[in-house]
Amino acid sequence: MTERTTKRDVVIVGGGASGLSAAIFVARYDLDALVFDGGCAAIRQCAHLENFLGFPGGVPPETFLSLGREQAELAGCEIVEDTVVEVARTDDGFMVETRDGREVETRRLVAASVYDDEYLARFADELDANRDGRTAVDGLYVTGWLAEEAEHQAIVNAGDGARAALALVRDVRREEEGLWEEVADYYYDWTVRDGRYGGAEFEDGIAELVADGAPPDATAEDERRMRERLRCEHLALEIDDAERERRAERGRRLVRKHVDEIEP
């Protein structure tokens, strides 16, 4: 590989509502994600974004995008201002080439760049995606207008990006981490108050999920390990009151930073 060739778990092409939303979800699963944001996000055509939930009075598109970039980077994603010009298949995914000469090898690619999609030309006959953004090309996901039946609304495209990212994470859980189908699909991203999980009902639910999803050749030890995996995943979602307040204050501070930059 050249000096400018790197490897990433996920490459996301496009830094608009859908691309940044996808970036947040995959990075929060601790996947090494890189966003190339060198094109023209569709949302920049909007004079003032007024119908995205959580912004009473609306928000300038650039402020909305800067908030999204901050959130994606806080989750652990790297964002680079560069344009993808070509994507080629490799034995284990894709080679991504950019206008500035970068080369990135990745197992999975999320295409979220409706106005800059020439790099997908060689996949043109395989881009029909199902509802969660999966395409006929293994490891290639599409969001927003690149998917079928997309809406020209930022909040819908952000949801498309999140949905494609969750599909990607579930594929990683199944194909790379070896989780059984139903266990791999039983994934969601949120936090809960300390003490939300635990007790007999919780344990019974975990045991039922594992038993229902176990393949015919699964051993008792296989099931025990799978139950422990799910138990640890759930308990890791809990946060205590002190941590909840710390995160709330951090959120307030970061929002103020961007909102205070809005010029009258």
Side-chain angles (χ1 to χ4, degrees), residues 6 8-9 15 23 34 49 72 78 96 105 110 123 141 144 147 165 173 206 212 222-223 239 243 248 252 257:
T6 58
R8 297 299 180 99
D9 296 329
L34 172 63
L49 180 59
E78 181 182 1
V96 179
E105 291 185 11
V110 179
F123 306 106
Y141 308 78
R173 288 164 64 83
I206 294 291
D212 289 346
D222 292 335
E223 294 194 24
I239 57 175
E243 175 62 14
R252 289 190 289 267
K257 182 183 80 170

Side-chain angles (χ1 to χ4, degrees), residues 109-186:
L109 179 78
V110 179
S113 55
V114 68
Y115 290 141
D116 303 281
D117 62 349
E118 293 85 358
Y119 62 93
L120 293 173
R122 66 180 65 199
F123 306 106
D125 296 332
E126 304 171 273
L127 288 181
D128 287 344
N130 57 22
R131 189 169 180 270
D132 56 18
R134 292 184 178 99
T135 71
V137 181
D138 183 33
L140 176 60
Y141 308 78
V142 296
T143 71
W145 287 0
L146 292 173
E148 292 183 358
E149 302 179 1
E151 296 286 350
H152 184 37
Q153 297 293 326
I155 196 165
V156 176
N157 286 310
D160 285 342
R163 188 159 49 197
L166 289 173
L168 187 156
V169 167
R170 288 169 176 137
D171 289 343
V172 169
R173 288 164 64 83
R174 182 179 64 255
E175 298 168 8
E176 299 176 24
E177 299 178 14
L179 274 66
W180 303 330
E181 188 79 28
E182 290 186 31
V183 175
D185 284 344
Y186 193 74

Side-chain angles (χ1 to χ4, degrees), residues 12-100:
I12 298 165
V13 186
S18 63
L20 292 173
S21 181
I24 290 164
F25 277 80
V26 299
R28 282 174 55 84
Y29 193 71
D30 205 26
L31 294 173
D32 185 10
L34 172 63
V35 174
F36 283 117
D37 181 19
C40 178
I43 198 172
R44 287 193 171 100
Q45 298 181 71
C46 177
H48 192 70
L49 180 59
E50 297 183 319
N51 55 9
F52 203 101
L53 183 66
F55 292 99
V59 60
E62 285 301 332
T63 302
F64 174 79
L65 291 174
S66 68
L67 283 162
R69 287 192 291 268
E70 179 96 56
Q71 189 172 357
E73 290 173 337
L74 187 66
C77 182
E78 181 182 1
I79 301 174
V80 173
E81 292 187 8
D82 198 356
T83 302
V84 172
V85 295
E86 187 166 359
V87 173
R89 282 188 175 97
T90 66
D91 291 340
D92 190 36
F94 309 93
M95 175 65 78
V96 179
E97 298 183 18
T98 74
R99 182 169 296 157
D100 289 346

